Amino acid sequence: MPRKTTYTPPAVEFLSILDEDGQVDAKLEPKLPQDFLRRLHDAMLLARRFDERMLSLQRQGRIGTFAPVKGQEAAQVGAAAVLSEQDWVVPSFRETAALVWRGLPLEGVLLYNAGYNEGGRVPDGQNFLPPSVPVGSQMLHAAGLAYGGKLKKSGAIVLTFFGDGATSEGDFHEALNFASVLACPVIFLCQNNHYAISMPRAKQTSSRTLAQKAIAYEMPCLQVDGNDVLAVYVAAKEAAERARAENRPTLIECVTYRLSVHTTVDDPSKYRSEEEVKTWERRDPLSRFQTYLRNLGMLAEKDVEAAEEAVSARIKTALHAWEDRMASLTDPAVMFEHLYASKPPALKEQQDRFVQEWSTRGEGARHG
Ligand SMILES: Cc1ncc(C[n+]2csc(CCOP(=O)(O)OP(=O)(O)O)c2C)c(N)n1
């Protein structure tokens, strides 16, 4: 027989539990305890309001370039919520919601975005890596971290986040291959927000789904409505259980949308239509989840008001803590520290030049 079928690829599933109007599919509903549902809600609300505040701080010139999370809160919070404390999160540059869920103080996010070296520091005892700006590089770190944990029998699993554009990077394929061949307990969570800066998803890859890229690596995969926090939670939970029990990686594609700008230096009106944005605004993950909670009878208007107030107070406290912290950080030359045990001569030279300029030009030296 000269030609025969040697392999038929498995189908890719799509999971959604809350529809666009916030109505639940009772057969798939995870029946989470009320206090946990409340925590999910409050975390998404905090991420949304903090995002808005970050945007206004950037417009006032008080922080640098910033990548908003608006629209992707469910994908981040739903996935991070399945982890236990010993597990790891390996983020890209857009994971404010996931990191805040994991306990990163808001002032740390502010410090990072204001360009302070200290903002990249992970607080002691918290298991996540600093933000990764080179697109896709963090997936390799995640696979390696999961492999190390497996060798040490730590029992910890790893969750890594990235965008649709990252699946077109070589690092993505290397990480999936490594994780699958070496059976690493890692969850690859793609936030398909439809754009890599101005490049629409359809122009960067011809794969019909992004999830199916895992099939070549014999890795379980699925698509999820990324604006449905319950669906993301259920998918991530299944993946976490598989990782814990079998050391098997999973690729989850969260189909979501970037409701705001790519970063604060981007103008999306140049490459996407208002109708498209409006369509996705109707699928807003936060209001959809609020409808669900209202239908459960656990979110009356006064509860929303109380949650808004608590979030606003927390942001205010963080802003003060951030300002105090900045006032105490007066030596920008720390950016040359903590990378090498013994500094290479070229770096030492750069540091000396910087210190020299700083002493004569002050703050201006920071901006060149
Ligand atoms: C290796 C690398 N190439 C290019 C860039 C410039 N860059 C920054 S963000 C970005 C797009 C990323 O898109 P995606 O992976 O979909 O993530 P999203 O920003 O949508 O969350 C690019 C190309 C970079 N940071 N790193």
Side-chain angles (χ1 to χ4, degrees), residues 93-94 133-135 163-166 169 193 195-197 258 262:
F93 43 77
R94 198 183 292 286
V133 176
V135 172
D164 41 286
E169 291 280 347
N193 66 12
Y195 289 90
I197 313 187
R258 194 182 73 215
H262 164 77

Side-chain angles (χ1 to χ4, degrees), residues 51-123:
D51 215 59
E52 289 162 359
R53 184 59 67 89
M54 295 282 281
L55 212 52
S56 76
L57 289 173
Q58 196 281 333
R59 299 306 186 217
Q60 294 159 25
R62 294 175 67 199
I63 61 169
T65 308
F66 155 65
V69 68
K70 185 176 180 185
Q72 300 180 217
E73 296 89 349
Q76 295 188 16
V77 171
V82 308
L83 299 182
S84 59
E85 233 168 75
Q86 58 162 0
D87 299 329
W88 286 83
V89 167
V90 183
S92 75
F93 43 77
R94 198 183 292 286
E95 269 69 72
T96 317
L99 296 187
V100 170
W101 174 274
R102 291 287 284 175
L104 179 66
L106 300 181
E107 51 269 32
V109 182
L110 287 160
L111 212 54
Y112 172 82
N113 284 280
Y116 284 78
N117 204 50
E118 293 80 356
R121 190 172 174 280
V122 177

Side-chain angles (χ1 to χ4, degrees), residues 24-333:
V24 73
D25 181 328
K27 287 196 294 299
L28 297 174
E29 191 181 9
K31 304 265 169 22
L32 297 169
Q34 290 213 351
D35 59 340
F36 192 72
L37 290 171
R38 169 87 54 197
R39 275 186 64 205
L40 291 174
H41 170 265
D42 291 356
M44 286 167 65
L45 184 70
L46 176 65
R48 176 68 57 93
R49 298 292 172 252
F50 186 53
D51 215 59
E52 289 162 359
R53 184 59 67 89
M54 295 282 281
L55 212 52
S56 76
L57 289 173
Q58 196 281 333
R59 299 306 186 217
Q60 294 159 25
R62 294 175 67 199
I63 61 169
T65 308
F66 155 65
V69 68
K70 185 176 180 185
Q72 300 180 217
E73 296 89 349
Q76 295 188 16
V77 171
V82 308
L83 299 182
S84 59
E85 233 168 75
Q86 58 162 0
D87 299 329
W88 286 83
V89 167
V90 183
S92 75
F93 43 77
R94 198 183 292 286
E95 269 69 72
T96 317
L99 296 187
V100 170
W101 174 274
R102 291 287 284 175
L104 179 66
L106 300 181
E107 51 269 32
V109 182
L110 287 160
L111 212 54
Y112 172 82
N113 284 280
Y116 284 78
N117 204 50
E118 293 80 356
R121 190 172 174 280
V122 177
D124 292 341
Q126 294 195 3
N127 287 353
F128 52 87
L129 299 193
S132 187
V133 176
V135 172
S137 51
Q138 75 279 10
M139 293 179 265
L140 286 163
H141 305 154
L145 192 58
Y147 187 53
K150 174 178 144 177
L151 294 183
K152 279 167 54 186
K153 300 195 190 331
S154 71
I157 67 166
V158 181
L159 166 65
T160 185
F161 291 95
F162 50 93
D164 41 286
T167 71
S168 305
E169 291 280 347
D171 284 1
F172 167 81
H173 295 278
E174 289 174 28
L176 261 65
N177 191 53
F178 182 99
S180 186
V181 170
L182 295 170
C184 303
V186 52
I187 305 171
F188 294 100
L189 192 130
C190 175
Q191 296 168 83
N192 170 8
N193 66 12
H194 288 79
Y195 289 90
I197 313 187
S198 54
M199 182 68 76
R201 175 239 175 280
K203 282 198 180 161
Q204 36 161 315
T205 175
S206 48
S207 285
R208 196 168 295 188
T209 69
L210 302 179
Q212 75 197 59
K213 296 191 184 198
I215 293 173
Y217 302 103
E218 287 292 327
M219 187 183 292
C221 63
L222 83 164
Q223 272 190 319
V224 171
D225 181 338
N227 286 13
D228 169 359
V229 70
L230 296 184
V232 176
Y233 178 86
V234 167
K237 186 113 178 101
E238 276 173 21
E241 278 159 14
R242 185 180 298 122
R244 285 187 220 287
E246 306 167 37
N247 281 320
R248 276 190 89 190
T250 302
L251 173 63
I252 300 174
E253 174 189 352
C254 287
V255 181
T256 181
Y257 195 78
R258 194 182 73 215
L259 284 174
S260 186
V261 291
H262 164 77
T263 65
T264 44
V265 290
D266 173 48
D267 175 6
S269 69
K270 295 213 166 95
Y271 58 83
R272 68 183 189 186
S273 69
E274 265 182 45
E275 296 92 88
E276 183 182 288
V277 179
K278 285 214 171 74
T279 304
W280 282 93
E281 273 169 355
R282 285 195 289 278
R283 300 173 187 159
D284 183 318
L286 181 59
S287 51
R288 195 193 283 197
F289 191 49
Q290 287 182 330
T291 305
Y292 170 68
L293 298 180
R294 271 193 204 101
N295 291 345
L296 284 180
M298 47 173 293
L299 198 73
E301 215 35 60
K302 65 168 181 19
D303 301 313
V304 177
E305 276 165 26
E308 290 278 7
E309 266 170 39
V311 157
S312 158
R314 189 162 159 198
I315 294 174
K316 212 168 171 185
T317 308
L319 287 171
H320 289 311
W322 169 55
E323 277 159 354
D324 290 349
R325 187 96 169 86
M326 282 197 299
S328 73
L329 298 171
T330 51
D331 180 10

Side-chain angles (χ1 to χ4, degrees), residues 11-31:
V12 174
E13 275 187 351
F14 183 95
L15 175 68
S16 116
I17 298 178
L18 287 180
D19 71 13
E20 283 187 32
D21 301 321
Q23 301 303 316
V24 73
D25 181 328
K27 287 196 294 299
L28 297 174
E29 191 181 9
K31 304 265 169 22

